[in-house]
Amino acid sequence: MDTQSERVMRASIVDVDTYFPQRVVDDKTILERINYNSPSIRNGTLERLIATKDRRHAEEGVQVSDLAACAANKILQRNPKIKPDLLIFAAASSDLIEPATANIIQTKLGLQCPVMDIKNACNSFVTSMQVASSFIDSGVYQHVLIVNGEKLSEVINYHPTDDEHLIQCISSFSLGDAGAAILMGAHKRAQLIYQKFCSWGDSWGLSTVKGGGSLAFRDLSQYYFESNSAELNKVMAVRLPEFVSGAFKEAGFSYKDVDHLLTHQTSNTTINKIGKYMGISSKKWVRTYDKYGNIGAATIPVSLTQIIAEKKPKEGDLICIIGLAAGISIAVQLIRW
């Protein structure tokens, strides 16, 4: 195992933090809002499928950029001597189509650096970590601030038209709101030592919000999250094991080397399935779904913050990130603490 003194300076995590709206919404409140009378709702089936206890929903006037700026401000206040060379906004959500939401967040944070948006559904944040690490390792930038704001409560459709449409809407009922940020730089601690990404674009239609783009720009019925969860799970069941196994083999690690496992979580069973497949003890899993529901690309930085606060990783610990997103895209990232 490498030690701090033996490591060279490379892209690493300097600081990470989160922000959550104050309003807590439970399953009962969500079910009461669904304007559709179905046996699935009456007999408790829908509640079992959602299977999250709480999630946070921002108030109507709160923007995605507000959630991101609130999280980022905590980091900037703790690190006043570090001035980010680049700001990346990374989320499934956004304030608007044009310009980049990063421009708005830049203004709210009072920064003067270059900015950009990176959008890759629920893998937006981990994709941005890969981009940021490339910039840092190549010497283009010294410090990159990645920010995220997810206001996914706005794409929940509480008005399914029939039982088939209800099934497509079920995944949206677990969506929550959050803000997150991570500051990256070149250090000897918390280094990104391996990253691998892949996408299977032929399955892009299994999980969508079509409104706002050229496919359905003026069709207001398409401004909601819909997902064919059964088919999505089938594709993931085939693609994920092979991809993760290949990544670990390429990186020269075994699953036994992992000290902390965090994944994107679309349900209570997501991390259960992945953790059991990898043979990693549940004591090493990081759960976010019970408290926050599906918070999109914020899930990974929220999990990292939770690891640091609750599990206090030791020097040399190996943190494994499994990114999952519509598209379909999968990511494996390894951090040596």
Side-chain angles (χ1 to χ4, degrees), residues 68-118:
C70 285
N73 261 321
K74 296 180 184 180
I75 291 177
L76 294 175
Q77 289 171 10
R78 282 198 300 267
N79 301 274
K81 294 183 179 180
I82 297 178
K83 303 300 180 185
D85 306 300
L86 175 68
L87 173 70
I88 300 176
F89 173 70
S93 307
S94 61
D95 276 15
L96 69 183
I97 293 177
E98 180 78 10
T101 299
N103 295 119
I104 301 173
I105 297 169
Q106 176 190 32
T107 301
K108 291 180 177 180
L109 295 177
L111 299 177
Q112 299 298 319
C113 59
V115 305
M116 66 173 75
D117 283 5
I118 291 181

Side-chain angles (χ1 to χ4, degrees), residues 200-208 210 215 326-328:
W200 293 270
D202 56 340
S203 297
W204 72 266
L206 295 179
S207 188
T208 62
K210 295 178 182 176
L215 278 175
I328 291 173

